[in-house]
Short mmCIF file of all heavy atoms in Angstrom, two decimals:
data_model
loop_
_atom_site.label_atom_id
_atom_site.label_comp_id
_atom_site.label_asym_id
_atom_site.label_seq_id
_atom_site.Cartn_x
_atom_site.Cartn_y
_atom_site.Cartn_z
N MET A 1 56.40 40.80 125.93
CA MET A 1 57.56 40.22 125.31
C MET A 1 58.51 39.70 126.39
O MET A 1 58.83 40.42 127.34
CB MET A 1 58.26 41.28 124.45
CG MET A 1 59.37 40.74 123.64
SD MET A 1 59.80 41.98 122.40
CE MET A 1 61.52 41.68 122.32
N ARG A 2 58.96 38.48 126.25
CA ARG A 2 59.87 37.87 127.22
C ARG A 2 61.29 38.36 127.04
O ARG A 2 61.76 38.48 125.92
CB ARG A 2 59.86 36.36 127.05
CG ARG A 2 58.98 35.67 128.04
CD ARG A 2 59.06 34.19 127.85
NE ARG A 2 59.99 33.67 128.84
CZ ARG A 2 60.45 32.45 128.82
NH1 ARG A 2 60.13 31.63 127.86
NH2 ARG A 2 61.26 32.03 129.75
N LYS A 3 61.94 38.62 128.16
CA LYS A 3 63.35 38.99 128.11
C LYS A 3 64.18 37.76 127.79
O LYS A 3 63.99 36.70 128.37
CB LYS A 3 63.77 39.57 129.46
CG LYS A 3 65.16 40.12 129.46
CD LYS A 3 65.49 40.74 130.79
CE LYS A 3 66.94 41.17 130.80
NZ LYS A 3 67.36 41.61 132.10
N LYS A 4 65.09 37.91 126.87
CA LYS A 4 65.97 36.81 126.48
C LYS A 4 66.92 36.48 127.62
O LYS A 4 67.45 37.36 128.28
CB LYS A 4 66.77 37.24 125.25
CG LYS A 4 67.05 36.16 124.27
CD LYS A 4 67.61 36.79 123.01
CE LYS A 4 68.68 35.91 122.45
NZ LYS A 4 69.29 36.47 121.28
N SER A 5 67.12 35.22 127.87
CA SER A 5 68.02 34.78 128.93
C SER A 5 69.45 35.24 128.64
O SER A 5 69.92 35.19 127.52
CB SER A 5 67.99 33.26 129.04
OG SER A 5 68.99 32.83 129.95
N GLN A 6 70.12 35.69 129.69
CA GLN A 6 71.51 36.11 129.56
C GLN A 6 72.46 34.97 129.88
O GLN A 6 73.67 35.12 129.71
CB GLN A 6 71.80 37.27 130.53
CG GLN A 6 71.09 38.54 130.20
CD GLN A 6 71.45 39.63 131.18
OE1 GLN A 6 71.81 39.39 132.32
NE2 GLN A 6 71.36 40.85 130.75
N PHE A 7 71.95 33.85 130.34
CA PHE A 7 72.78 32.75 130.83
C PHE A 7 73.88 32.39 129.83
O PHE A 7 73.59 32.08 128.67
CB PHE A 7 71.92 31.53 131.15
CG PHE A 7 72.71 30.37 131.65
CD1 PHE A 7 73.31 30.40 132.90
CD2 PHE A 7 72.87 29.24 130.88
CE1 PHE A 7 74.05 29.34 133.38
CE2 PHE A 7 73.61 28.15 131.34
CZ PHE A 7 74.19 28.21 132.59
N MET A 8 75.13 32.47 130.29
CA MET A 8 76.33 32.10 129.52
C MET A 8 76.57 32.96 128.28
O MET A 8 77.38 32.61 127.44
CB MET A 8 76.32 30.61 129.16
CG MET A 8 76.40 29.72 130.38
SD MET A 8 77.85 30.00 131.41
CE MET A 8 79.07 29.08 130.50
N ARG A 9 75.90 34.10 128.18
CA ARG A 9 76.21 35.04 127.10
C ARG A 9 77.47 35.81 127.48
O ARG A 9 77.61 36.25 128.61
CB ARG A 9 75.05 36.03 126.91
CG ARG A 9 74.24 35.72 125.69
CD ARG A 9 73.25 36.80 125.27
NE ARG A 9 73.52 38.13 125.73
CZ ARG A 9 72.64 38.91 126.34
NH1 ARG A 9 71.42 38.50 126.56
NH2 ARG A 9 72.95 40.12 126.73
N PRO A 10 78.39 36.01 126.55
CA PRO A 10 79.62 36.75 126.88
C PRO A 10 79.34 38.23 127.17
O PRO A 10 78.46 38.83 126.57
CB PRO A 10 80.47 36.62 125.62
CG PRO A 10 79.83 35.59 124.78
CD PRO A 10 78.40 35.48 125.20
N LEU A 11 80.10 38.78 128.10
CA LEU A 11 80.11 40.22 128.34
C LEU A 11 81.26 40.75 127.49
O LEU A 11 82.43 40.49 127.81
CB LEU A 11 80.36 40.52 129.82
CG LEU A 11 79.24 40.15 130.78
CD1 LEU A 11 79.41 38.74 131.29
CD2 LEU A 11 79.23 41.11 131.93
N THR A 12 80.95 41.45 126.43
CA THR A 12 81.99 41.84 125.48
C THR A 12 82.31 43.33 125.49
O THR A 12 83.33 43.73 124.96
CB THR A 12 81.57 41.43 124.05
OG1 THR A 12 80.29 41.99 123.77
CG2 THR A 12 81.50 39.91 123.92
N SER A 13 81.46 44.14 126.10
CA SER A 13 81.70 45.58 126.08
C SER A 13 81.84 46.13 127.50
O SER A 13 81.41 45.49 128.47
CB SER A 13 80.55 46.30 125.36
OG SER A 13 79.36 46.18 126.13
N ASP A 14 82.42 47.31 127.61
CA ASP A 14 82.54 47.98 128.90
C ASP A 14 81.17 48.15 129.54
O ASP A 14 81.02 47.92 130.74
CB ASP A 14 83.20 49.35 128.74
CG ASP A 14 84.71 49.27 128.54
OD1 ASP A 14 85.29 48.18 128.73
OD2 ASP A 14 85.29 50.30 128.18
N ILE A 15 80.18 48.56 128.78
CA ILE A 15 78.85 48.81 129.34
C ILE A 15 78.26 47.54 129.93
O ILE A 15 77.63 47.57 130.99
CB ILE A 15 77.90 49.48 128.31
CG1 ILE A 15 76.63 49.98 128.99
CG2 ILE A 15 77.54 48.55 127.19
CD1 ILE A 15 76.83 51.23 129.79
N GLN A 16 78.49 46.39 129.31
CA GLN A 16 77.99 45.13 129.86
C GLN A 16 78.69 44.80 131.18
O GLN A 16 78.04 44.37 132.14
CB GLN A 16 78.18 43.99 128.86
CG GLN A 16 77.25 44.07 127.68
CD GLN A 16 77.57 43.03 126.63
OE1 GLN A 16 78.74 42.75 126.34
NE2 GLN A 16 76.54 42.45 126.04
N LEU A 17 80.00 45.00 131.23
CA LEU A 17 80.74 44.75 132.46
C LEU A 17 80.28 45.67 133.59
O LEU A 17 80.02 45.22 134.71
CB LEU A 17 82.24 44.89 132.23
CG LEU A 17 82.89 43.80 131.40
CD1 LEU A 17 84.30 44.22 130.97
CD2 LEU A 17 82.95 42.48 132.16
N TYR A 18 80.16 46.97 133.30
CA TYR A 18 79.76 47.93 134.34
C TYR A 18 78.32 47.69 134.79
O TYR A 18 78.00 47.84 135.97
CB TYR A 18 79.96 49.37 133.85
CG TYR A 18 81.40 49.79 133.91
CD1 TYR A 18 82.16 49.92 132.75
CD2 TYR A 18 82.04 50.04 135.12
CE1 TYR A 18 83.50 50.28 132.79
CE2 TYR A 18 83.39 50.40 135.18
CZ TYR A 18 84.10 50.53 134.01
OH TYR A 18 85.43 50.88 134.07
N THR A 19 77.44 47.31 133.87
CA THR A 19 76.05 47.01 134.23
C THR A 19 76.00 45.77 135.12
O THR A 19 75.28 45.75 136.13
CB THR A 19 75.18 46.82 132.97
OG1 THR A 19 75.21 48.03 132.22
CG2 THR A 19 73.74 46.50 133.34
N ALA A 20 76.76 44.74 134.78
CA ALA A 20 76.81 43.54 135.61
C ALA A 20 77.35 43.87 137.01
O ALA A 20 76.86 43.33 138.01
CB ALA A 20 77.67 42.47 134.94
N GLN A 21 78.33 44.77 137.07
CA GLN A 21 78.88 45.18 138.37
C GLN A 21 77.81 45.92 139.18
O GLN A 21 77.59 45.61 140.36
CB GLN A 21 80.10 46.07 138.18
CG GLN A 21 80.71 46.54 139.50
CD GLN A 21 81.85 47.52 139.31
OE1 GLN A 21 81.96 48.19 138.29
NE2 GLN A 21 82.71 47.60 140.31
N MET A 22 77.14 46.87 138.58
CA MET A 22 76.12 47.66 139.29
C MET A 22 74.94 46.80 139.73
O MET A 22 74.42 46.98 140.83
CB MET A 22 75.63 48.82 138.42
CG MET A 22 76.65 49.91 138.27
SD MET A 22 76.12 51.39 137.37
CE MET A 22 74.66 50.96 136.54
N ASP A 23 74.53 45.87 138.89
CA ASP A 23 73.40 44.98 139.20
C ASP A 23 73.79 43.81 140.10
O ASP A 23 72.93 43.03 140.49
CB ASP A 23 72.77 44.44 137.92
CG ASP A 23 72.09 45.52 137.09
OD1 ASP A 23 71.85 46.62 137.62
OD2 ASP A 23 71.80 45.24 135.91
N ARG A 24 75.11 43.65 140.34
CA ARG A 24 75.64 42.54 141.12
C ARG A 24 75.24 41.20 140.50
O ARG A 24 74.91 40.24 141.19
CB ARG A 24 75.23 42.64 142.59
CG ARG A 24 75.69 43.96 143.22
CD ARG A 24 75.65 44.03 144.71
NE ARG A 24 76.26 42.93 145.44
CZ ARG A 24 77.57 42.73 145.62
NH1 ARG A 24 78.43 43.56 145.08
NH2 ARG A 24 78.02 41.72 146.32
N THR A 25 75.31 41.14 139.18
CA THR A 25 74.99 39.94 138.43
C THR A 25 76.17 38.96 138.50
O THR A 25 77.29 39.34 138.18
CB THR A 25 74.71 40.28 136.95
OG1 THR A 25 73.66 41.23 136.89
CG2 THR A 25 74.33 39.05 136.15
N PRO A 26 75.93 37.73 138.92
CA PRO A 26 77.03 36.75 138.96
C PRO A 26 77.57 36.48 137.55
O PRO A 26 76.81 36.40 136.59
CB PRO A 26 76.38 35.49 139.52
CG PRO A 26 75.12 35.95 140.15
CD PRO A 26 74.69 37.17 139.40
N ILE A 27 78.89 36.35 137.48
CA ILE A 27 79.54 36.02 136.21
C ILE A 27 80.46 34.82 136.39
O ILE A 27 80.79 34.45 137.52
CB ILE A 27 80.34 37.21 135.63
CG1 ILE A 27 81.53 37.56 136.51
CG2 ILE A 27 79.44 38.42 135.39
CD1 ILE A 27 82.57 38.43 135.82
N VAL A 28 80.86 34.23 135.29
CA VAL A 28 81.88 33.19 135.28
C VAL A 28 82.99 33.66 134.36
O VAL A 28 82.77 34.42 133.42
CB VAL A 28 81.32 31.82 134.83
CG1 VAL A 28 80.42 31.24 135.90
CG2 VAL A 28 80.59 31.91 133.51
N ILE A 29 84.22 33.21 134.66
CA ILE A 29 85.40 33.64 133.91
C ILE A 29 86.10 32.41 133.35
O ILE A 29 86.33 31.44 134.08
CB ILE A 29 86.36 34.43 134.81
CG1 ILE A 29 85.65 35.62 135.45
CG2 ILE A 29 87.56 34.92 134.02
CD1 ILE A 29 85.53 35.55 136.92
N PHE A 30 86.42 32.49 132.06
CA PHE A 30 87.10 31.39 131.39
C PHE A 30 88.40 31.87 130.77
O PHE A 30 88.50 33.01 130.33
CB PHE A 30 86.24 30.85 130.22
CG PHE A 30 84.99 30.16 130.66
CD1 PHE A 30 83.81 30.87 130.85
CD2 PHE A 30 84.97 28.78 130.86
CE1 PHE A 30 82.65 30.23 131.24
CE2 PHE A 30 83.81 28.14 131.24
CZ PHE A 30 82.64 28.86 131.44
N ILE A 31 89.39 30.99 130.73
CA ILE A 31 90.57 31.15 129.88
C ILE A 31 90.50 29.97 128.93
O ILE A 31 90.56 28.82 129.37
CB ILE A 31 91.88 31.17 130.68
CG1 ILE A 31 91.92 32.38 131.60
CG2 ILE A 31 93.08 31.18 129.73
CD1 ILE A 31 93.15 32.46 132.48
N ASP A 32 90.35 30.26 127.65
CA ASP A 32 90.04 29.25 126.65
C ASP A 32 88.75 28.55 127.10
O ASP A 32 87.77 29.22 127.31
CB ASP A 32 91.20 28.28 126.42
CG ASP A 32 92.42 28.98 125.83
OD1 ASP A 32 92.22 29.88 124.98
OD2 ASP A 32 93.54 28.65 126.21
N ALA A 33 88.74 27.24 127.27
CA ALA A 33 87.53 26.54 127.69
C ALA A 33 87.54 26.21 129.18
O ALA A 33 86.64 25.56 129.68
CB ALA A 33 87.36 25.26 126.88
N GLU A 34 88.56 26.68 129.90
CA GLU A 34 88.71 26.34 131.31
C GLU A 34 88.07 27.39 132.21
O GLU A 34 88.40 28.58 132.12
CB GLU A 34 90.18 26.19 131.67
CG GLU A 34 90.41 25.79 133.11
CD GLU A 34 91.88 25.69 133.47
OE1 GLU A 34 92.74 25.76 132.57
OE2 GLU A 34 92.17 25.56 134.67
N LEU A 35 87.18 26.96 133.09
CA LEU A 35 86.57 27.84 134.07
C LEU A 35 87.62 28.18 135.13
O LEU A 35 88.18 27.29 135.76
CB LEU A 35 85.37 27.15 134.73
CG LEU A 35 84.66 27.92 135.84
CD1 LEU A 35 84.02 29.19 135.29
CD2 LEU A 35 83.62 27.04 136.50
N VAL A 36 87.91 29.47 135.29
CA VAL A 36 88.96 29.89 136.23
C VAL A 36 88.43 30.73 137.38
O VAL A 36 89.16 31.00 138.33
CB VAL A 36 90.11 30.63 135.51
CG1 VAL A 36 90.84 29.71 134.56
CG2 VAL A 36 89.60 31.87 134.78
N GLY A 37 87.16 31.15 137.33
CA GLY A 37 86.61 31.95 138.41
C GLY A 37 85.14 32.22 138.23
O GLY A 37 84.58 32.01 137.15
N SER A 38 84.52 32.68 139.31
CA SER A 38 83.11 33.06 139.26
C SER A 38 82.80 33.97 140.43
O SER A 38 83.51 33.98 141.44
CB SER A 38 82.21 31.82 139.30
OG SER A 38 82.34 31.17 140.55
N GLY A 39 81.74 34.74 140.30
CA GLY A 39 81.31 35.62 141.37
C GLY A 39 80.78 36.92 140.83
O GLY A 39 80.39 37.02 139.66
N VAL A 40 80.78 37.93 141.68
CA VAL A 40 80.26 39.26 141.35
C VAL A 40 81.46 40.20 141.13
O VAL A 40 82.44 40.15 141.86
CB VAL A 40 79.37 39.78 142.50
CG1 VAL A 40 78.93 41.20 142.26
CG2 VAL A 40 78.15 38.87 142.67
N ILE A 41 81.36 41.03 140.12
CA ILE A 41 82.44 41.97 139.78
C ILE A 41 82.60 42.99 140.90
O ILE A 41 81.64 43.65 141.29
CB ILE A 41 82.17 42.67 138.44
CG1 ILE A 41 82.11 41.65 137.30
CG2 ILE A 41 83.24 43.74 138.17
CD1 ILE A 41 81.66 42.25 135.97
N GLU A 42 83.83 43.11 141.42
CA GLU A 42 84.14 44.08 142.47
C GLU A 42 84.75 45.35 141.90
O GLU A 42 84.54 46.43 142.44
CB GLU A 42 85.11 43.46 143.47
CG GLU A 42 84.53 42.24 144.18
CD GLU A 42 85.58 41.43 144.91
OE1 GLU A 42 86.79 41.64 144.69
OE2 GLU A 42 85.19 40.56 145.70
N ASP A 43 85.55 45.21 140.83
CA ASP A 43 86.24 46.36 140.27
C ASP A 43 86.56 46.08 138.80
O ASP A 43 86.77 44.92 138.42
CB ASP A 43 87.55 46.63 141.03
CG ASP A 43 88.24 47.89 140.55
OD1 ASP A 43 87.59 48.96 140.54
OD2 ASP A 43 89.42 47.81 140.17
N ILE A 44 86.60 47.14 138.02
CA ILE A 44 86.93 47.03 136.59
C ILE A 44 87.97 48.09 136.27
O ILE A 44 87.83 49.25 136.64
CB ILE A 44 85.68 47.28 135.71
CG1 ILE A 44 84.57 46.28 136.05
CG2 ILE A 44 86.03 47.21 134.22
CD1 ILE A 44 83.22 46.66 135.49
N SER A 45 89.03 47.66 135.60
CA SER A 45 90.01 48.61 135.09
C SER A 45 90.15 48.38 133.58
O SER A 45 89.54 47.46 133.04
CB SER A 45 91.37 48.44 135.79
OG SER A 45 92.03 47.29 135.31
N GLU A 46 90.97 49.18 132.97
CA GLU A 46 91.19 49.02 131.53
C GLU A 46 91.80 47.66 131.21
O GLU A 46 91.54 47.08 130.16
CB GLU A 46 92.11 50.14 131.05
CG GLU A 46 92.16 50.29 129.55
CD GLU A 46 93.00 51.49 129.14
OE1 GLU A 46 92.85 52.56 129.76
OE2 GLU A 46 93.80 51.34 128.20
N MET A 47 92.60 47.13 132.14
CA MET A 47 93.34 45.89 131.91
C MET A 47 92.73 44.64 132.54
O MET A 47 92.99 43.54 132.09
CB MET A 47 94.76 46.04 132.44
CG MET A 47 95.56 47.14 131.78
SD MET A 47 95.86 46.86 130.04
CE MET A 47 96.97 45.50 130.11
N SER A 48 91.92 44.82 133.62
CA SER A 48 91.47 43.64 134.35
C SER A 48 90.10 43.84 134.99
O SER A 48 89.59 44.95 135.07
CB SER A 48 92.48 43.28 135.44
OG SER A 48 92.53 44.30 136.42
N VAL A 49 89.54 42.71 135.46
CA VAL A 49 88.28 42.69 136.19
C VAL A 49 88.54 41.94 137.49
O VAL A 49 89.15 40.86 137.48
CB VAL A 49 87.18 41.98 135.36
CG1 VAL A 49 85.91 41.80 136.17
CG2 VAL A 49 86.89 42.74 134.08
N ALA A 50 88.11 42.51 138.62
CA ALA A 50 88.32 41.86 139.92
C ALA A 50 87.05 41.16 140.37
O ALA A 50 85.96 41.74 140.34
CB ALA A 50 88.73 42.89 140.97
N VAL A 51 87.21 39.90 140.75
CA VAL A 51 86.12 39.08 141.29
C VAL A 51 86.68 38.31 142.47
O VAL A 51 87.72 37.64 142.33
CB VAL A 51 85.57 38.11 140.21
CG1 VAL A 51 84.52 37.18 140.80
CG2 VAL A 51 85.00 38.87 139.03
N LYS A 52 86.03 38.43 143.64
CA LYS A 52 86.47 37.74 144.87
C LYS A 52 87.95 37.98 145.17
O LYS A 52 88.69 37.07 145.51
CB LYS A 52 86.20 36.24 144.77
CG LYS A 52 84.73 35.88 144.75
CD LYS A 52 84.56 34.38 144.75
CE LYS A 52 83.09 34.02 144.72
NZ LYS A 52 82.89 32.58 144.55
N GLY A 53 88.39 39.21 144.99
CA GLY A 53 89.76 39.58 145.32
C GLY A 53 90.81 39.17 144.31
O GLY A 53 91.98 39.48 144.48
N GLU A 54 90.41 38.49 143.26
CA GLU A 54 91.34 38.07 142.20
C GLU A 54 91.16 38.97 140.98
O GLU A 54 90.03 39.34 140.64
CB GLU A 54 91.08 36.62 141.78
CG GLU A 54 91.34 35.61 142.86
CD GLU A 54 92.83 35.39 143.12
OE1 GLU A 54 93.63 35.48 142.17
OE2 GLU A 54 93.18 35.12 144.28
N ARG A 55 92.26 39.29 140.30
CA ARG A 55 92.19 40.09 139.08
C ARG A 55 92.35 39.18 137.88
O ARG A 55 93.27 38.36 137.83
CB ARG A 55 93.27 41.16 139.08
CG ARG A 55 92.97 42.25 140.08
CD ARG A 55 93.34 43.62 139.52
NE ARG A 55 92.73 44.65 140.33
CZ ARG A 55 91.66 45.33 139.96
NH1 ARG A 55 91.10 45.13 138.81
NH2 ARG A 55 91.15 46.25 140.74
N TYR A 56 91.47 39.34 136.91
CA TYR A 56 91.48 38.55 135.68
C TYR A 56 91.73 39.49 134.51
O TYR A 56 91.02 40.50 134.35
CB TYR A 56 90.14 37.82 135.50
CG TYR A 56 89.87 36.85 136.63
CD1 TYR A 56 89.15 37.25 137.75
CD2 TYR A 56 90.38 35.56 136.60
CE1 TYR A 56 88.92 36.37 138.80
CE2 TYR A 56 90.15 34.67 137.64
CZ TYR A 56 89.42 35.08 138.73
OH TYR A 56 89.20 34.20 139.77
N MET A 57 92.74 39.20 133.72
CA MET A 57 93.14 40.06 132.61
C MET A 57 92.09 40.05 131.50
O MET A 57 91.71 38.98 131.02
CB MET A 57 94.50 39.63 132.07
CG MET A 57 95.62 39.65 133.10
SD MET A 57 95.78 41.21 134.00
CE MET A 57 96.37 42.28 132.71
N ARG A 58 91.65 41.22 131.11
CA ARG A 58 90.59 41.34 130.09
C ARG A 58 91.02 40.81 128.73
O ARG A 58 90.20 40.30 127.98
CB ARG A 58 90.13 42.79 129.99
CG ARG A 58 89.38 43.23 131.24
CD ARG A 58 88.99 44.67 131.21
NE ARG A 58 87.98 44.91 130.19
CZ ARG A 58 87.33 46.05 130.06
NH1 ARG A 58 87.57 47.05 130.86
NH2 ARG A 58 86.44 46.19 129.10
N GLY A 59 92.30 40.92 128.40
CA GLY A 59 92.78 40.47 127.10
C GLY A 59 92.91 38.96 126.98
O GLY A 59 93.03 38.44 125.88
N VAL A 60 92.88 38.26 128.10
CA VAL A 60 93.10 36.81 128.12
C VAL A 60 91.81 36.05 128.44
O VAL A 60 91.58 34.96 127.94
CB VAL A 60 94.17 36.46 129.18
CG1 VAL A 60 94.36 34.96 129.32
CG2 VAL A 60 95.49 37.14 128.84
N CYS A 61 90.97 36.64 129.27
CA CYS A 61 89.79 35.94 129.80
C CYS A 61 88.53 36.27 129.01
O CYS A 61 88.41 37.32 128.39
CB CYS A 61 89.57 36.33 131.25
SG CYS A 61 90.92 35.88 132.35
N THR A 62 87.58 35.33 129.10
CA THR A 62 86.22 35.53 128.59
C THR A 62 85.30 35.59 129.80
O THR A 62 85.35 34.71 130.66
CB THR A 62 85.79 34.37 127.66
OG1 THR A 62 86.72 34.29 126.58
CG2 THR A 62 84.39 34.60 127.12
N PHE A 63 84.49 36.64 129.87
CA PHE A 63 83.56 36.82 130.97
C PHE A 63 82.15 36.54 130.46
O PHE A 63 81.76 37.05 129.40
CB PHE A 63 83.65 38.27 131.50
CG PHE A 63 85.05 38.64 131.90
CD1 PHE A 63 85.89 39.29 131.00
CD2 PHE A 63 85.54 38.33 133.15
CE1 PHE A 63 87.19 39.63 131.35
CE2 PHE A 63 86.83 38.66 133.52
CZ PHE A 63 87.66 39.31 132.61
N LYS A 64 81.40 35.73 131.21
CA LYS A 64 80.05 35.37 130.78
C LYS A 64 79.08 35.51 131.94
O LYS A 64 79.47 35.35 133.11
CB LYS A 64 80.00 33.92 130.27
CG LYS A 64 80.84 33.71 129.02
CD LYS A 64 80.66 32.31 128.48
CE LYS A 64 81.47 32.12 127.19
NZ LYS A 64 81.20 30.83 126.58
N TYR A 65 77.81 35.79 131.60
CA TYR A 65 76.77 35.83 132.61
C TYR A 65 76.57 34.43 133.19
O TYR A 65 76.46 33.48 132.46
CB TYR A 65 75.43 36.30 132.01
CG TYR A 65 75.43 37.73 131.54
CD1 TYR A 65 75.55 38.03 130.20
CD2 TYR A 65 75.27 38.77 132.45
CE1 TYR A 65 75.53 39.35 129.76
CE2 TYR A 65 75.24 40.10 132.02
CZ TYR A 65 75.37 40.38 130.67
OH TYR A 65 75.33 41.67 130.25
N ALA A 66 76.50 34.35 134.53
CA ALA A 66 76.27 33.05 135.18
C ALA A 66 74.79 32.84 135.47
O ALA A 66 74.34 31.72 135.64
CB ALA A 66 77.06 32.96 136.48
N GLY A 67 74.02 33.91 135.53
CA GLY A 67 72.61 33.75 135.89
C GLY A 67 71.71 34.64 135.13
O GLY A 67 72.07 35.40 134.31
#
């Protein structure tokens, strides 16, 4: 059975975010339809996700698999 592609699927749960961080899976970050960041998750808090030294607010941003 083929694994379904994760490309551009949203990361909607804590477990998806933490798994992407542990696996060093590249992600992209959007606010509305605007791409505002990309890279590997460095840190996760209740309020934000850090990528390349920048913090992105979880309540405002959409995080998606890049690869």
Side-chain angles (χ1 to χ4, degrees):
M1 187 166 146
R2 261 182 99 191
K3 186 177 175 187
K4 215 169 142 182
S5 173
Q6 292 181 334
F7 180 69
M8 295 302 279
R9 255 192 23 230
L11 291 90
T12 55
S13 67
D14 283 348
I15 192 75
Q16 288 173 320
L17 289 167
Y18 283 106
T19 300
Q21 180 185 23
M22 288 185 345
D23 293 345
R24 303 195 49 76
T25 303
I27 66 163
V28 289
I29 304 115
F30 292 89
I31 296 178
D32 295 322
E34 182 182 351
L35 177 65
V36 294
S38 66
V40 174
I41 298 172
E42 298 166 346
D43 185 54
I44 302 166
S45 75
E46 193 175 316
M47 299 296 291
S48 66
V49 173
V51 175
K52 293 184 180 173
E54 295 286 327
R55 289 219 165 256
Y56 299 92
M57 302 308 291
R58 291 177 67 171
V60 176
C61 298
T62 302
F63 305 94
K64 296 185 178 186
Y65 293 102

